[in-house]
Amino acid sequence: MTVEELRDSAILGRIVERVEATGRFCGETLLQKSAYFLKELFGAPISAPFRIYYYGPFSFDLRDTLGTMEALDIVQTAPHEWGATYRIGKRYRQVEQRFPRTLERVEPHIAWVQRELVPLGVRSSSRSPPPSS
């Protein structure tokens, strides 16, 4: 892995960690969309290039990075009724420790992802307004 891919892994791992803490589903589509928004909306240092695909922005490089992260036990996948969900792997802490300033800088943006994107389904493009009282 290159340094850029390791940095991407630290950011993606942090997203997985935050979503896992909520007990929600964390599939590849969520990670793809999250990385795209972090990069394009907030200027996060994500090296993967994106293109518009079936359900929104997609990066084949990011898919490869996720596969490498799984092989290195930075993340793990677990079966879920909707497909595989990502969880933190045993080696994530080693990657996390290499990029503390990057993670500190993107933390507020990851909080935005957690608040705005995690509740959406794969095909959703916006959240429904809150129900009227």
Side-chain angles (χ1 to χ4, degrees), residues 1 3 9 12-13 16-17 24 30-31 47 49 54 57-58 70 72 76 86 90 107 109 119 124 129 131:
M1 280 188 117
V3 172
S9 297
L12 291 168
V16 170
E17 181 179 48
R24 299 193 73 136
L30 173 64
L31 292 174
S47 64
Y54 293 109
F58 187 84
E70 187 174 2
L72 296 174
Q76 300 172 345
Y86 284 91
K90 294 175 184 162
E107 189 66 42
H109 310 306
S124 297

Side-chain angles (χ1 to χ4, degrees), residues 10-93:
I11 294 168
L12 291 168
R14 181 60 58 92
I15 296 166
V16 170
E17 181 179 48
R18 295 296 183 251
V19 176
E20 185 178 3
T22 67
R24 299 193 73 136
F25 179 73
C26 184
E28 182 181 355
T29 302
L30 173 64
L31 292 174
Q32 289 275 350
K33 287 181 180 182
S34 298
Y36 175 81
F37 278 99
L38 288 173
K39 180 178 183 172
E40 298 299 326
L41 192 60
F42 301 113
I46 293 175
S47 64
F50 287 87
R51 60 185 282 206
I52 299 303
Y53 212 58
Y54 293 109
Y55 294 118
F58 187 84
S59 171
F60 288 96
D61 291 354
L62 192 71
R63 171 178 270 176
D64 292 345
T65 298
L66 287 169
T68 302
M69 289 172 67
E70 187 174 2
L72 296 174
D73 200 17
I74 298 168
V75 295
Q76 300 172 345
T77 55
H80 189 277
E81 64 182 300
W82 299 328
T85 187
Y86 284 91
R87 296 187 177 150
I88 288 299
K90 294 175 184 162
R91 291 191 171 162
Y92 172 66
R93 297 295 168 221

